[in-house]
Amino acid sequence: MKRTTSAVLGLLVCGLLVYPALGSAQNFDNVQIRTLQVTESIYVLQGSGGNIGVSIGDDGTFIVDDQFAPLTDKIVAAIAELTDKPVEFVVNSHWHYDHTDGNENFGRAGARIIAHENSRRRMETSQIISLNGRLQEAYSKEGLPKITFGESVRFHYNDNAIDIVHFGPAHTDGDAVVFFRDANVIHTGDVFVRYGLPFIDGPNGGQLSGMIDVLWGVAGLISDNTTIIPGHGQLSTRTDLLEYRSMLVTIRDRMLGQIAEGMSEDEVVAANPTQGFAPPGAGTERWVRAAYVDLR
Ligand SMILES: [Zn+2]
């Protein structure tokens, strides 16, 4: 039951299929945080919103994403079950609120927040998320990243070289993947997710072709033995990531062919370019329309 609830809530921003459910207030009281151990020192916390990666060790606690603000106390309690060291660093995989809404709480508690420079820029002002039209208000100073980077930055922390890498526009214009080299675990944020068609925030710098390129970059960074923590959903492998990428390549190439033939947006929708990958319906149609605008 818990799993279903958090899975559904987790899809509210980044999943298309439950798009119509948006708009109703979320009740976080019933959300529980589930902890999964990935390696000796790396964990995943799942509640509502993006997967939280947690690295614990002698240096302190380093997390990737922080979900929704009303969940911060529960997240902190779940981390306290693993370590007595406070959260020193929070990486934002990107700026969408289901990954960053806890920033102000963690920032106020003394954590340093790190994000790609475009993500900080977007969090400095209000944004409209294209999937649901939701307004994401600017964060206060405490919720903004104190540390930003352009292409990549490496942390040496908890006996890991941790590479935080921006490969280019994909899900948004400020995506970062976080690769714990020694542990051989990567958190991909929403450039890789485990539900159907990925949300690509086109009006905010996301690009379908960019996502395909970024996935190739991630595949080159990791190995077949790497454990992937996706932005949403269950732990995965490089093979899963490459299958997901080839789905996107197939759909994109079908659509580029249709666009080259001069087909209109409605004609492309009618031609069902996602056939074999996504069930027909309002969510799929909406995705194709957004991809048409992106690829045209
Ligand atoms: Zn997102």
Side-chain angles (χ1 to χ4, degrees), residues 75 127 175:
I75 292 165
Q127 302 290 325
D175 303 317

Side-chain angles (χ1 to χ4, degrees), residues 42-114:
I42 296 189
Y43 295 81
V44 182
L45 305 184
Q46 297 183 314
S48 177
N51 284 328
I52 299 177
V54 181
S55 159
I56 61 168
D58 292 341
D59 292 324
T61 303
F62 177 111
I63 68 173
V64 183
D65 289 345
D66 54 29
Q67 298 192 349
F68 292 94
L71 297 176
T72 302
D73 287 346
K74 291 180 188 175
I75 292 165
V76 168
I79 292 170
E81 297 283 320
L82 309 175
T83 175
D84 55 7
K85 295 215 159 62
V87 174
E88 187 173 13
F89 294 108
V90 177
V91 182
N92 292 149
S93 67
H94 62 294
W95 55 272
H96 284 156
Y97 61 87
D98 57 328
H99 300 259
T100 61
D101 195 50
N103 272 13
E104 291 178 340
N105 293 335
F106 280 100
R108 249 178 249 124
R112 308 265 180 234
I113 301 167
I114 303 113

Side-chain angles (χ1 to χ4, degrees), residues 273-291:
T274 61
Q275 191 169 19
F277 300 110
T284 300
E285 177 179 333
R286 188 186 154 82
W287 190 93
V288 172
R289 290 188 184 281

Side-chain angles (χ1 to χ4, degrees), residues 180-200:
F180 300 89
R181 283 189 173 273
D182 297 84
N184 203 11
V185 175
I186 190 166
H187 188 302
T188 61
D190 285 357
V191 302
F192 174 60
V193 291
R194 298 275 71 194
Y195 49 76
L197 301 170
F199 168 42
I200 296 165

Side-chain angles (χ1 to χ4, degrees), residues 5-291:
T5 307
S6 42
V8 170
L9 289 170
L11 286 169
L12 285 173
V13 173
C14 293
L16 287 149
L17 302 176
V18 292
Y19 169 71
L22 278 163
S24 54
Q26 291 186 47
N27 181 356
F28 292 101
D29 295 347
N30 300 324
V31 175
Q32 299 206 13
I33 306 297
R34 189 165 156 256
T35 302
L36 303 173
Q37 185 162 19
V38 184
T39 69
E40 208 178 309
S41 62
I42 296 189
Y43 295 81
V44 182
L45 305 184
Q46 297 183 314
S48 177
N51 284 328
I52 299 177
V54 181
S55 159
I56 61 168
D58 292 341
D59 292 324
T61 303
F62 177 111
I63 68 173
V64 183
D65 289 345
D66 54 29
Q67 298 192 349
F68 292 94
L71 297 176
T72 302
D73 287 346
K74 291 180 188 175
I75 292 165
V76 168
I79 292 170
E81 297 283 320
L82 309 175
T83 175
D84 55 7
K85 295 215 159 62
V87 174
E88 187 173 13
F89 294 108
V90 177
V91 182
N92 292 149
S93 67
H94 62 294
W95 55 272
H96 284 156
Y97 61 87
D98 57 328
H99 300 259
T100 61
D101 195 50
N103 272 13
E104 291 178 340
N105 293 335
F106 280 100
R108 249 178 249 124
R112 308 265 180 234
I113 301 167
I114 303 113
H116 185 261
E117 56 200 19
N118 291 342
S119 280
R120 165 154 176 140
R121 209 168 293 138
R122 288 193 180 276
M123 288 186 274
E124 287 170 351
T125 58
S126 297
Q127 302 290 325
I128 304 286
I129 296 179
S130 69
L131 179 67
N132 50 23
R134 179 178 154 156
L135 172 71
Q136 178 173 325
E137 301 273 6
Y139 289 148
S140 67
K141 208 173 145 194
E142 293 83 6
L144 291 172
K146 293 263 192 307
I147 303 161
T148 60
F149 69 96
E151 288 178 10
S152 70
V153 59
R154 175 171 288 183
F155 277 65
H156 299 269
Y157 200 74
N158 290 342
D159 299 319
N160 253 284
I162 308 171
D163 284 336
I164 309 175
V165 185
H166 170 73
F167 281 101
H171 175 64
T172 68
D173 60 0
D175 303 317
V177 300
V178 182
F179 186 27
F180 300 89
R181 283 189 173 273
D182 297 84
N184 203 11
V185 175
I186 190 166
H187 188 302
T188 61
D190 285 357
V191 302
F192 174 60
V193 291
R194 298 275 71 194
Y195 49 76
L197 301 170
F199 168 42
I200 296 165
D201 198 350
N204 294 316
Q207 288 176 18
L208 174 54
S209 285
M211 188 178 272
I212 289 168
D213 292 346
V214 167
L215 289 165
W216 193 245
V218 174
L221 187 67
I222 63 178
S223 69
D224 286 338
N225 301 321
T226 305
T227 301
I228 302 179
I229 303 171
H232 298 262
Q234 73 275 21
L235 296 179
S236 306
T237 64
R238 185 171 181 269
T239 304
D240 298 324
L241 180 133
L242 288 170
E243 274 172 18
Y244 168 87
R245 179 181 181 274
S246 50
M247 168 186 79
L248 296 179
V249 169
T250 302
I251 296 170
R252 176 194 59 182
D253 291 353
R254 285 175 184 167
M255 290 187 68
L256 286 175
Q258 290 157 348
I259 290 167
E261 285 170 26
M263 289 168 72
S264 69
E265 185 178 317
D266 287 341
E267 286 167 339
V268 170
V269 168
N272 195 14
T274 61
Q275 191 169 19
F277 300 110
T284 300
E285 177 179 333
R286 188 186 154 82
W287 190 93
V288 172
R289 290 188 184 281

